[in-house]
Amino acid sequence: MIQAPSIANSTREERAAYVDSKYHCISDCDMCGLCRIFHGKDPMLAFKDYIDGAEEMQTVAERYR
């Protein structure tokens, strides 16, 4: 499993690419369940604080557990 890039060692674009690749919508909610996990939010919006460099990935992910 590839770990999320840390804020200190990555660019905004690298973090956005990581979120997009890890939580890529397959347009079949019954199959992947991402919509349910993120309460109807697009993962790019759910992880906005991480992508923008405000919080680490783990901190944001814990909100959705």
Side-chain angles (χ1 to χ4, degrees), residues 21-53:
S21 68
K22 182 160 178 82
Y23 299 106
H24 185 74
C25 178
I26 61 172
S27 298
D28 186 354
C29 293
D30 292 333
M31 186 70 150
C32 78
L34 286 177
C35 295
R36 186 174 304 130
I37 292 169
F38 298 117
H39 310 288
K41 284 186 182 177
D42 180 284
M44 298 300 279
L45 291 175
F47 285 99
K48 184 178 183 331
D49 287 341
Y50 168 66
I51 293 169
D52 290 343

